[in-house]
Amino acid sequence: MLKHTTFGYLNLALACGLLAACNAAPTSQVASAPAAQAAFAQTVGGTAAQPSMNSTDPEHLLRAYHWQLRSASGPDQAWFDTVAPALPAPVELTFDGQRLTVSGLCNHMGAGYDWDGETTLHVGMAMATKRACSDTALMQAEDAVGRQLSNATGLALTAPVGDTAPLLTLHFADGSAWQLQGRPTDATRFGSAPQRVFLEVAPDTVACTQHGQPSQCLQVRSVDFDDAGLRRAEGPWQVYPGTIEGYAHTPGEWTVLRINRYTPARVSSAQPAVVDVLDMVVSRQMAQPR
């Protein structure tokens, strides 16, 4: 049985303020990965209709995609053409019906917005975390985006045609315009609202069989938190079937993950009945040497 240190959980106001400690580790085992993923579910998702890639409703279309900044014109073209080639990934905007969030920068950024459903858009003052970055391009892009968002005056949407991605153009008071390309959100991809799940991942994988072939599987258990974000219960350790999108396991590391679990509306031989997508790494800690 592995020895491990107590987790030092971050007090995350945006992620339930988790404070907790690990209990006994799982014993190594050989298994065929029969555990059902649904056994780990902690449901918080609603039943509201999800945005669809086939929807022609402008509001649904705006929410159905993450919008990646691909070009800028007017006064903003100067900073964009200078900074964008040095960015590790495109700056991405997401509209959820009430708030606009920006990712791909040094800090997380968000603002409220008001859209008339047609062409007029107003964005509130952008608020961001205060983490400093050594990446000069990221900081320059963050400064430019943060200054400009509240100057938005309107938008124009172009719906997807066939395999062509949808397009979004944002207009600003100084005459600048941003051209953005749509990337489907997870809820759009899977056609369902997610379940919110917390999983603790053990440091070591175990031998298992997947699709009739020998493999290595994660060992996980569900974790339950109360309304104050305090850890109150854990499920049994189980062999985890499949993979978690966006998560790469580091051998020897304990992690607690916040997962969005989707039940795809359309299941095929290439699409599992349940898909887990990493939402946040809540905590991580290297195990003590044995």
Side-chain angles (χ1 to χ4, degrees):
M1 186 175 292
L2 294 174
K3 295 180 181 179
H4 58 88
T5 58
T6 299
F7 276 105
Y9 286 92
L10 298 175
N11 188 356
L12 297 172
L14 297 179
C16 301
L18 307 178
L19 291 169
C22 291
N23 292 324
T27 56
S28 296
Q29 55 186 307
V30 177
S32 60
Q37 288 177 312
F40 305 135
Q42 179 181 340
T43 304
V44 298
T47 58
Q50 297 304 300
S52 167
M53 286 188 286
N54 298 320
S55 175
T56 58
D57 178 77
E59 183 176 349
H60 280 196
L61 184 62
L62 187 66
R63 293 189 294 113
Y65 293 84
H66 302 294
W67 299 95
Q68 297 183 331
L69 182 56
R70 294 299 185 181
S71 64
S73 59
D76 278 353
Q77 183 175 352
W79 73 258
F80 181 86
D81 289 350
T82 300
V83 171
L87 296 179
V91 176
E92 194 168 78
L93 280 63
T94 302
F95 298 80
D96 70 359
Q98 295 181 324
R99 286 193 64 77
L100 162 63
T101 57
V102 184
S103 59
L105 300 170
C106 177
N107 289 279
H108 295 289
M109 186 181 299
Y113 71 91
D114 182 25
W115 178 43
D116 67 356
E118 296 182 356
T119 61
T120 303
L121 173 72
H122 298 289
V123 178
M125 185 65 65
M127 304 294 290
T129 54
K130 298 297 183 182
R131 184 167 66 94
C133 281
S134 58
D135 190 318
T136 302
L138 274 179
M139 292 303 295
Q140 289 177 337
E142 183 170 299
D143 289 343
V145 170
R147 287 195 306 268
Q148 188 68 296
L149 277 179
S150 61
N151 297 319
T153 59
L155 63 78
L157 280 165
T158 302
V161 177
D163 294 332
T164 302
L167 301 175
L168 169 67
T169 301
L170 295 181
H171 297 280
F172 299 92
D174 66 354
S176 295
W178 296 355
Q179 291 75 44
L180 304 98
Q181 185 177 66
R183 179 179 70 83
T185 66
D186 290 332
T188 301
R189 281 200 298 145
F190 301 119
S192 66
Q195 294 176 311
R196 176 60 50 78
V197 183
F198 291 93
L199 296 182
E200 182 176 4
V201 182
D204 298 325
T205 58
V206 293
C208 64
T209 302
Q210 297 196 75
H211 309 296
Q213 299 295 321
S215 184
Q216 289 289 315
C217 290
L218 299 175
Q219 298 179 91
V220 307
R221 64 178 173 182
S222 61
V223 182
D224 182 58
F225 297 92
D226 63 19
D227 292 341
L230 300 177
R231 183 169 175 149
R232 62 185 178 188
E234 300 92 12
W237 287 104
Q238 301 188 47
V239 176
Y240 182 88
T243 59
I244 299 170
E245 284 193 17
Y247 173 67
H249 179 65
T250 300
E253 184 177 75
W254 292 93
T255 53
V256 173
L257 310 177
R258 192 173 75 184
I259 300 295
N260 286 331
R261 173 161 295 155
Y262 295 90
T263 302
R266 296 172 297 279
V267 178
S268 65
S269 58
Q271 175 71 71
V274 175
V275 179
D276 283 350
V277 180
L278 177 65
D279 183 53
M280 174 183 289
V281 176
V282 177
S283 65
R284 56 185 359 132
Q285 177 73 47
M286 294 303 295
Q288 289 183 345
R290 300 181 183 180

